[in-house]
Amino acid sequence: YQKYLINKLSKFLIIGSNSFSGSHFVHQTLKCGFEVLGVSRSKEPMDIFLPYKWESNTLSEKIYESKQFKFKSIDLNKNMEEFKKIIDNFKPEIIVNFASQGMVAESWLNPTHWYQTNLMSQVTLHDFLRKKTFLKKYVHITTPEVYGSTDGGWIKENFSFAPSTPYAVSRAGCDLHLMSFYKAYDFPVVFTRAANVYGPGQQLYRIIPRAFLSAKTNKRMELHGGGKSCRAFIHIKDVVDATLKIALDAEPGTSWHISSNESISIYDLVSKIFSMTNSNFENLVVNVDERLGKDQSYLLNSDKLRKVHSWSDKINLELGLEDTLSWIEKNLSILKDLSWDYQHKS
């Protein structure tokens, strides 16, 4: 990455830096030597959820003392004008936006919150950014849920959307808005869609850490729809590697799938986790009704990324689950007392 640092393409603004994927991306960009400003709605969580604080104390102190990394807590829904001033002062060459109101099922309960965060505030931000000459690349981290269920098999990148939930509709709307800005203003947007990302530090309400915690604490967990839905899981380190390649080298107006080539049902995934931990699946897993509007499969063809950017996923599911289990076991004394439930922020 030295050529980018020499050419002064070195300042990253990472929106949603406290998120699972965002915090791992912060970690990688700092290791590569880039200057990073992280922004999230909430204050930084405890260190076990922030990979850039897992390094040795010496490296962490060096990063903070050199002011290579700064963090600001900003709510884009409430403090947009303050955020604009921060951007003008920092002048990032690359912005990577991980921020969104997540969770599919809960989006039915407060759809206006999802549209405000995932679409309206984003439009306000993008209309401001399109006039900034210092911005060379805007990486929009979007979602395969804009496609709806990919029941026809592994799909290639496209903008033929069929979203089935308020969450997915809000993300699809933002994607289409950004593409219109690219066509009208040459806004330097690049889109990434990854499915389904996992690894150490992930929120505990997600299926993999929740299953591991259920197995390690003998606490029962629910399996929606009997776990029949199918997903292609990919480790966060592979996703971060792809995202950084895209951020630095992809052409504006392009979209990229980041995915493994192997799929698994949620039932088989949870069974594998309980087998790894020598736990009793039948006693701890409770089948419940499927969630409203849940898509049965997200299968993304990632051939373009592999060919154009010479990328490949290095961590298979078995190794990735072992990595995640190590994080769970190392921090179990803390994690077992935390909530596994999604906490909605309006």
Side-chain angles (χ1 to χ4, degrees):
Y1 300 106
Q2 288 302 309
K3 65 178 182 179
Y4 300 101
L5 297 173
I6 292 171
N7 293 328
K8 299 186 184 303
L9 191 66
S10 60
K11 295 174 73 173
F12 277 80
L13 168 60
I14 300 176
I15 307 173
S17 62
N18 284 350
S19 67
F20 168 55
S21 295
S23 61
H24 276 272
F25 191 77
V26 168
H27 181 209
Q28 184 62 29
T29 50
L30 291 175
K31 285 177 65 178
C32 292
F34 296 107
E35 183 180 352
V36 179
L37 172 61
V39 172
S40 275
R41 175 161 57 177
S42 58
K43 294 180 179 180
E44 288 180 300
M46 59 180 65
D47 289 0
I48 59 173
F49 292 104
L50 294 174
Y52 54 87
K53 293 192 175 183
W54 298 348
E55 295 284 0
S56 67
N57 289 335
T58 301
L59 180 58
S60 295
E61 289 172 3
K62 180 180 178 182
I63 287 171
Y64 281 92
E65 286 177 2
S66 66
K67 299 182 180 179
Q68 185 188 348
F69 177 69
K70 294 180 181 178
F71 172 77
K72 297 283 187 181
S73 177
I74 296 287
D75 187 336
L76 272 62
N77 291 330
K78 300 175 181 177
N79 306 112
M80 182 63 75
E81 294 307 310
E82 180 183 355
F83 187 40
K84 290 177 181 178
K85 293 176 183 177
I86 290 172
I87 293 173
D88 276 336
N89 182 59
F90 185 62
K91 292 181 172 56
E93 289 101 358
I94 301 176
I95 296 177
V96 184
N97 190 350
F98 292 90
S100 74
Q101 187 80 59
M103 298 304 290
V104 174
E106 287 76 3
S107 71
W108 292 101
L109 303 177
N110 296 287
T112 54
H113 294 171
W114 268 254
Y115 289 117
Q116 178 61 46
T117 299
N118 296 346
L119 181 57
M120 299 309 298
S121 290
Q122 298 290 332
V123 171
T124 301
L125 174 62
H126 301 149
D127 199 41
F128 166 76
L129 290 175
R130 70 177 176 83
K131 304 163 189 173
K132 302 302 172 182
T133 57
F134 54 73
L135 181 62
K136 306 306 179 186
K137 192 76 64 65
Y138 180 88
V139 183
H140 186 62
I141 311 298
T142 179
T143 173
E145 299 203 29
V146 297
Y147 296 131
S149 188
T150 60
D151 299 332
W154 299 82
I155 65 170
K156 294 184 178 182
E157 293 87 347
N158 67 85
F159 280 80
S160 298
F161 298 157
S164 57
T165 66
Y167 165 71
V169 171
S170 69
R171 303 305 307 277
C174 192
D175 288 8
L176 293 171
H177 140 74
L178 277 167
M179 182 52 76
S180 74
F181 268 33
Y182 165 70
K183 293 176 179 177
Y185 305 121
D186 291 324
F187 187 66
V189 62
V190 173
F191 302 87
T192 72
R193 298 186 179 93
N196 278 68
V197 189
Y198 74 97
Q202 191 170 27
Q203 304 96 326
L204 303 186
Y205 54 79
R206 298 298 186 183
I207 185 65
I208 288 178
R210 186 154 46 92
F212 272 127
L213 282 172
S214 174
K216 298 298 291 185
T217 63
N218 290 315
K219 181 179 176 181
R220 300 180 85 183
M221 65 167 285
E222 294 180 343
L223 193 61
H224 291 273
K228 295 179 181 178
S229 59
C230 181
R231 298 290 185 266
F233 286 88
I234 183 165
H235 193 275
I236 182 60
K237 289 183 179 178
D238 286 327
V239 175
V240 165
D241 178 48
T243 305
L244 188 53
K245 287 177 180 290
I246 291 166
L248 294 172
D249 294 326
E251 291 294 323
T254 56
S255 60
W256 305 86
H257 286 168
I258 307 172
S259 177
S260 69
N261 289 326
E262 298 182 1
S263 62
I264 187 173
S265 72
I266 299 301
Y267 178 91
D268 288 343
L269 172 73
V270 175
S271 296
K272 183 186 290 286
I273 287 172
F274 274 71
S275 177
M276 288 176 62
T277 53
N278 297 312
S279 303
N280 193 307
F281 180 95
E282 288 74 18
N283 288 348
L284 293 175
V285 178
V286 182
N287 288 324
V288 296
D289 292 339
E290 190 59 277
R291 291 175 294 187
L292 180 63
K294 183 178 180 181
D295 299 317
Q296 287 305 300
S297 64
Y298 299 127
L299 302 176
L300 305 181
N301 182 310
S302 57
D303 288 350
K304 185 171 79 165
L305 176 65
R306 296 170 188 274
K307 181 179 180 180
V308 175
H309 292 293
S310 301
W311 173 87
S312 64
D313 47 321
K314 304 291 196 305
I315 303 173
N316 63 31
L317 185 60
E318 285 69 27
L319 289 175
L321 289 177
E322 290 175 3
D323 184 38
T324 308
L325 176 58
S326 295
W327 174 75
I328 293 282
E329 291 179 333
K330 180 180 179 180
N331 299 288
L332 187 59
S333 62
I334 297 173
L335 297 176
K336 66 182 179 63
D337 294 324
L338 300 179
S339 173
W340 302 1
D341 297 325
Y342 169 74
Q343 304 295 319
H344 179 62
K345 299 172 185 175
S346 60

